Amino acid sequence: MGKLKGIPHILSPDILHLLAVTGHGDEIVLADINFPTHTICNGSDRPKEYRADGVGIPALLDAILTLMPLDAYVENPVQLMDLTDGDKTKGFQVPVWDEYRKICDKHESAPVSFEKVERFEFYERAKKVYAIIHTGETAAYANILLKRGVC
């Protein structure tokens, strides 16, 4: 496969196709290594599973947002899997969320609102997205849902 100008090299042809066929309001999940992607995608009315094994979510998010805008017409075009109550009590920190903020700010013209979604509710929402990209991300609570905007 030849390299295209301006296309981040970590985006596979399948992921490029995914970005090309999605439209305004479509949602995709970038899933960490522990996310039950195959289970959620198993079924005829479920999201399509894509693989980006060995790729971290921050790098993939940066590459995707180079090509795909977030939805400026909704309050929270980005949703994160929230900490469990036990991890909140322990003061668990999720530094990858700060990376996501910097990446979104770099690519979007206005600040992007993030919504934190309870773990099992996040799984339910994931069942209704267009696609899930399973990554090699090892950071805890790294799962992120993106709502596509318009160019």
Side-chain angles (χ1 to χ4, degrees):
M1 175 179 77
K3 175 115 170 66
L4 299 172
K5 288 182 178 181
I7 304 293
H9 72 278
I10 66 168
L11 296 177
S12 69
D14 287 340
I15 293 173
L16 286 172
H17 181 260
L18 164 66
L19 298 177
V21 299
T22 55
H24 186 211
D26 283 335
E27 296 176 328
I28 61 173
V29 167
L30 307 184
D32 67 28
I33 201 164
N34 294 306
F35 195 80
T37 303
H38 190 71
T39 300
I40 288 175
C41 293
N42 191 11
S44 61
D45 61 341
R46 296 293 182 94
K48 185 170 180 187
E49 179 178 356
Y50 291 80
R51 302 296 297 199
D53 298 296
V55 176
I57 291 177
L60 186 60
L61 176 64
D62 189 42
I64 287 171
L65 294 184
T66 299
L67 304 175
M68 184 191 90
L70 294 172
D71 194 339
Y73 297 102
V74 297
E75 186 175 345
N76 300 301
V78 175
Q79 298 174 359
L80 304 169
M81 181 183 283
D82 199 5
L83 299 170
T84 63
D85 289 340
D87 283 340
K88 287 178 186 176
T89 301
K90 294 175 192 171
F92 193 86
Q93 298 297 306
V94 187
V96 74
W97 292 351
D98 294 330
E99 291 183 60
Y100 295 167
R101 167 74 49 212
K102 290 175 189 170
I103 293 165
C104 289
D105 288 347
K106 172 180 146 184
H107 290 285
E108 297 297 314
S109 59
V112 176
S113 295
F114 288 26
E115 177 185 13
K116 293 177 186 165
V117 178
E118 187 274 331
R119 178 178 156 212
F120 292 106
E121 176 61 26
F122 192 95
Y123 291 145
E124 287 304 311
R125 289 186 188 186
K127 291 176 184 177
K128 299 173 185 151
V129 302
Y130 186 85
I132 299 175
I133 303 173
H134 192 86
T135 71
E137 181 60 56
T138 59
Y141 295 102
N143 304 300
I144 181 171
L145 186 150
L146 308 172
K147 183 179 283 282
R148 184 189 172 100
V150 295
C151 295

